[in-house]
Amino acid sequence: MLIQAISYPPTRKGDVVDVYHGTTVADPYRWLEDVDAPETAAWVEAENRVTLAYLAQVPQREWIRRRLTTLWDYPKYGAPFKKGGRYFFFKNSGLQNQAVLYTQATLTAAPQELLDPNTLSADGTVALSTLALSQDGRLLLYSTSGSGSDWQEFRVREVATRRDRPDHLKWIKFSGAAWTHDAAGFFYSRYPEPAAGGDPLLAVNRDQKVYYHRLGTDQAADRLIYERPDQPDWGFAADVSADGRYLVFAVWLGTDRRNRIYYQDLVDPTHPRLDGPVVRLLDDFDAGYEFVGNDGPLFYFATDLDAPKKRVIAIDTRHPERAAWREVIPQADDALEGVQIIHDTFVARYLHDAHSRLRLVALDGRPIGTGGGDLALPGLGSIIQVSGERHDTEMFFAFTSFLFPTTIFRHEFTTGRTSVFKAPEIAFDPTGYETVQVFYASKDGTRIPMFLTYKKGMRRDGGNPTYLYGYGGFNVNLTPAFSIGVLVWLEMGGIYAQPVLRGGAEYGEAWHQAGMLGRKQNVFDDFLAAAEYLIAEKYTAPAKLAIGGGSNGGLLVGAAMTQRPELFGAALPAVGVMDMLRFHKFTIGWAWVTEYGSADSAAHFPFLYAYSPLHHLKAGTHYPATLVTTADHDDRVVPGHSFKFAAALQAAQGGPAPVLIRIETKAGHGAGKPTAKIIDEQTDRWAFMVRNLHMTLSKPQP
């Protein structure tokens, strides 16, 4: 079937011009930032109409949808966790829009449904985000978010009766919850209620405060525990120590990995004091500190202080001076990804060339067992969840890889035995495929790892359609993970390539810092070098190479396609940060200044302007086929980024390749997105790639 020529909707150009430190910058599509304006709504409807009409002409689209749906339909489990002697776990039976929370008295007892978020909305667009169980396991605090928004609403459910109590809290964002051990209430953080008439999906979020909510009272009566009106940009993550004695605050500033640690002595866990002084234990903002646990007044922290790959230290709060600090687990050759205390043991997750190792270490720092304390894992993959508490005799962990569906393992500390607890059964045979790890040199010579997954026997003749996916930023680690979308891509004859770009923390904080602020171009260079490697090694060719990424990864795609448009056959930027001069003016965007910099700074503006995707589109350039994806309720990276980029790219395109934007409704940045919407979006991505990479599908039988 022939795809008809595209007639794009007309997009009005305004005359908005800004001056940044003497540089004049036009912003003709500024009006598209107002997502609620009738003119913007009409533009969204018109663009979606064009995009859906184009995709409807791809004959393989329905087969792709059916195959995705078939493979997606298998039971998926989360790792169980315990409270009050009961087990709790999530399960999705297959195609449910949201996973359901279950509970059971023992591992062999029949599970009972505790909370089904699918019943909270007809279309599955209300999702769970925060969970916190009281110490006795009788009460469940849960939060919901609608249509993908970061805003949360808190409620409390009785585990025994499955009924909600009247408590209902609002205007909460970027907050967990921590119960006092008497189960009388919980700590949480919230922002002021948005001003009347303002748009809560766009308004800037500042002045977060810590409150205590006592069950059965109105939110207006919640007790203010801590605030810093002198520091409106600070945020607070409150946690109660495992012994119930201390309230520990991690004080954060934007996305900076450095933080502060404060604490409040609750004195008696059964009758906690809420009026004690807040002690500023670590207040220098000199490193990142993660509270791991405590033995009375002795606090354990994972930190990158003097250890870019992280270590564990102990601080006696009675003698907090630095000279008295003690190193418990020294920095290793591999990066420490996370650590927790289970069975009075440090359970440490390390990354070795961006794949996981799991290690047991005694509280005095000695490795436990043979092999340096490492537990055997199924292969090259990722530990994505570890659950267990201080005095448990067992822990659960979830392991996954590109060809290994997420599997739950159970480890018994008393016997040292690790066994499979839940292994999914999926209608896919992975034995016909393989994953390899290669290394290549970036522009400045830095050695970059990349995972490649493809069908065994694949010929390196330059003709393989290849999907190159990346992120590279904010300390986020991109490690092997299982994806039904990737499986279908492999079945379609594609190669999936995932490089380990600078900006993440796969090799520690130095790796992160090499890809932030004025060094952000390193990330793009790493990605472009991955493309050049794949072409030079004859895995693929430019006409067969597509690039993708979401959020900061959307920025990555935008920068790569504007810097080297000839290198790619297709580009799929999702919910991307495309306007590097104005991202900090919406919702939580100001918090990314520590990672990106700010155009308000004369020192930062030059390097932001040098790569900002929106500002590097040149009229008449032959850009690759592009499918921009975003959502109308994204209040993390507001959709105006994608709207403006798509409009400008359509106007600049000098070649025949299509430039389309797919705007999801009643969806946000990605968290909590219903299964049905995920399948629809993935279908359209692959359909777009089939058409624009000129793929011929040999359809496997479902």
Side-chain angles (χ1 to χ4, degrees):
M1 182 181 292
L2 184 67
I3 301 289
Q4 300 299 314
I6 299 173
S7 177
Y8 299 116
T11 305
R12 175 175 63 85
K13 282 190 174 183
D15 56 4
V16 176
V17 173
D18 296 310
V19 179
Y20 295 89
H21 315 288
T23 299
T24 300
V25 180
D27 194 2
Y29 303 112
R30 177 76 58 85
W31 61 272
L32 283 170
E33 291 178 353
D34 186 355
V35 295
D36 294 325
E39 186 180 15
T40 305
W43 181 86
V44 166
E45 184 179 352
E47 289 284 352
N48 268 343
R49 197 161 48 239
V50 169
T51 299
L52 296 178
Y54 176 93
L55 294 169
Q57 296 178 68
V58 180
Q60 299 92 339
R61 185 185 185 210
E62 285 311 308
W63 174 84
I64 294 170
R65 187 191 310 279
R66 288 196 302 272
R67 188 61 180 150
L68 282 167
T69 303
T70 296
L71 285 184
W72 221 290
D73 193 8
Y74 72 96
K76 307 163 190 69
Y77 292 87
F81 50 97
K82 281 175 74 174
K83 276 291 185 183
R86 296 189 65 85
Y87 292 90
F88 300 83
F89 68 93
F90 279 99
K91 176 187 175 184
N92 187 311
S93 62
L95 293 174
Q96 289 175 292
N97 279 318
Q98 305 290 341
V100 179
L101 180 63
Y102 292 86
T103 184
Q104 56 194 127
T106 67
L107 289 178
T108 57
Q112 298 175 307
E113 182 183 297
L114 177 55
L115 179 58
D116 182 0
N118 298 290
T119 64
L120 303 178
S121 63
D123 56 4
T125 56
V126 171
L128 298 182
S129 45
T130 294
L131 286 184
L133 283 149
S134 60
Q135 189 68 13
D136 57 14
R138 294 186 302 107
L139 297 170
L140 168 72
L141 178 145
Y142 69 95
S143 75
T144 58
S145 60
S147 301
S149 171
D150 281 332
W151 286 114
Q152 305 172 63
E153 297 186 19
F154 280 12
R155 291 176 174 83
V156 176
R157 175 162 295 197
E158 296 173 349
V159 172
T161 65
R162 280 50 169 179
R163 293 177 181 171
D164 283 351
R165 295 172 62 99
D167 305 82
H168 183 194
L169 284 64
K170 297 182 178 181
W171 305 119
I172 303 162
K173 185 185 281 195
F174 312 127
S175 173
W179 290 88
T180 47
H181 279 208
D182 60 355
F186 53 85
F187 301 97
Y188 71 103
S189 304
R190 79 166 189 254
Y191 289 99
E193 182 175 347
D199 187 344
L201 296 179
L202 296 176
V204 170
N205 306 132
R206 284 192 168 93
D207 294 303
Q208 195 182 52
K209 303 174 184 179
V210 180
Y211 290 88
Y212 181 77
H213 175 74
R214 189 169 294 279
L215 291 183
T217 64
D218 189 86
Q219 185 178 14
D222 286 357
R223 180 171 187 152
L224 177 63
I225 300 297
Y226 195 70
E227 65 174 334
R228 287 298 294 271
D230 60 320
Q231 299 289 347
D233 290 347
W234 286 11
F236 306 94
D239 190 20
V240 173
S241 59
D243 60 5
R245 174 69 184 265
Y246 299 97
L247 174 64
V248 182
F249 305 93
V251 185
W252 51 268
L253 175 62
T255 54
D256 200 313
R257 108 281 176 192
R258 295 173 297 175
N259 63 349
R260 295 169 169 85
I261 299 290
Y262 300 167
Y263 73 91
Q264 185 180 47
D265 191 343
L266 302 177
V267 183
D268 181 356
T270 60
H271 297 90
R273 277 186 57 185
L274 303 179
D275 58 354
V278 173
V279 179
R280 302 183 188 183
L281 178 64
L282 300 168
D283 204 25
D284 290 339
F285 200 61
D286 57 350
Y289 299 91
E290 177 191 350
F291 178 68
V292 177
N294 68 299
D295 281 318
L298 186 69
F299 285 17
Y300 299 107
F301 295 97
T303 181
D304 58 12
L305 179 72
D306 301 324
K309 293 187 177 180
K310 292 189 180 179
R311 59 186 177 136
V312 176
I313 62 173
I315 300 176
D316 190 327
T317 57
R318 296 165 299 187
H319 303 284
E321 58 274 10
R322 292 200 177 204
W325 294 5
R326 178 168 58 88
E327 183 174 81
V328 181
I329 303 178
Q331 178 177 229
D333 292 336
D334 293 330
L336 178 61
E337 188 178 25
V339 61
Q340 56 209 92
I341 300 177
I342 306 172
H343 192 64
D344 291 325
T345 302
F346 289 119
V347 179
R349 291 176 287 117
Y350 286 91
L351 287 177
H352 177 78
D353 286 336
H355 52 88
S356 290
R357 289 180 171 176
L358 193 62
R359 187 168 300 161
L360 304 183
V361 181
L363 294 182
D364 62 5
R366 291 179 300 106
I368 293 177
T370 59
D374 282 8
L375 293 183
L377 298 176
L380 183 151
S382 306
I383 300 290
I384 56 173
Q385 188 183 7
V386 177
S387 70
E389 297 202 336
R390 179 69 186 255
H391 301 299
D392 288 348
T393 59
E394 63 187 348
M395 72 173 177
F396 299 88
F397 63 89
F399 178 87
T400 187
S401 192
F402 299 111
L403 298 170
F404 196 93
T406 300
T407 300
I408 310 302
F409 291 83
R410 178 174 179 257
H411 178 79
E412 299 175 85
F413 287 90
T414 51
T415 64
R417 180 172 177 266
T418 302
S419 57
V420 173
F421 179 67
K422 292 287 185 183
E425 295 183 5
I426 182 171
F428 175 84
D429 182 6
T431 59
Y433 302 85
E434 61 183 329
T435 294
V436 298
Q437 188 174 41
V438 299
F439 295 85
Y440 64 91
S442 188
K443 183 178 181 179
D444 64 358
T446 299
R447 182 174 180 260
I448 308 294
M450 178 162 57
F451 298 102
L452 301 176
T453 304
Y454 46 73
K455 192 173 293 185
K456 289 179 179 176
M458 177 269 302
R459 295 175 59 187
R460 284 164 58 175
D461 56 6
N464 300 296
T466 300
Y467 184 47
L468 176 64
Y469 182 88
Y471 188 80
F474 291 97
N475 259 322
V476 172
N477 296 326
L478 198 59
T479 59
F482 186 74
S483 162
I484 293 297
V486 169
L487 293 194
V488 173
W489 176 248
L490 298 175
E491 287 188 334
M492 290 160 56
I495 296 174
Y496 179 72
Q498 183 173 295
V500 181
L501 311 174
R502 282 174 284 186
E506 294 90 348
Y507 288 103
E509 180 56 25
W511 191 256
H512 168 223
Q513 291 191 22
M516 61 185 287
L517 295 171
R519 298 172 293 279
K520 188 68 175 175
Q521 184 61 41
N522 286 337
V523 183
F524 312 140
D525 289 343
D526 293 352
F527 198 57
L528 294 170
E532 291 172 330
Y533 172 89
L534 292 167
I535 294 165
E537 296 295 320
K538 297 192 181 301
Y539 287 97
T540 191
K544 291 286 188 178
L545 178 58
I547 51 175
S551 193
N552 174 74
L555 161 64
L556 171 71
V557 172
M561 65 180 285
T562 52
Q563 292 181 17
R564 294 288 302 279
E566 79 287 353
L567 208 53
F568 313 109
L572 288 83
V575 294
V577 187
M578 299 303 196
D579 184 345
M580 298 308 297
L581 307 185
R582 288 179 56 78
F583 69 84
H584 58 300
K585 297 184 180 295
F586 304 98
T587 65
I588 200 63
W590 63 266
W592 314 332
V593 167
T594 52
E595 180 82 8
Y596 291 144
S598 169
D600 295 340
S601 162
H604 294 171
F605 170 76
F607 62 72
L608 288 167
Y609 192 44
Y611 71 77
S612 179
L614 178 66
H615 301 98
H616 283 271
L617 293 167
K618 297 181 176 64
T621 302
H622 285 225
Y623 289 104
T626 304
L627 177 63
V628 179
T629 53
T630 188
D632 65 350
H633 278 69
D634 190 342
D635 54 0
R636 183 84 58 83
V637 179
V638 294
H641 283 276
S642 294
F643 292 177
K644 291 163 63 175
F645 183 74
L649 183 57
Q650 286 176 349
Q653 177 65 295
V659 174
L660 303 172
I661 181 168
R662 184 187 188 280
I663 303 150
E664 186 63 81
T665 57
K666 294 192 71 177
H669 197 59
K673 184 177 289 186
T675 297
K677 286 184 181 291
I678 296 173
I679 291 175
D680 285 347
E681 189 172 281
Q682 192 62 67
T683 295
D684 289 346
R685 283 198 179 103
W686 287 168
F688 185 81
M689 301 253 282
V690 165
R691 168 61 186 170
N692 289 287
L693 299 186
H694 308 290
M695 297 170 63
T696 301
L697 300 189
S698 56
K699 303 176 185 178
Q701 295 300 313

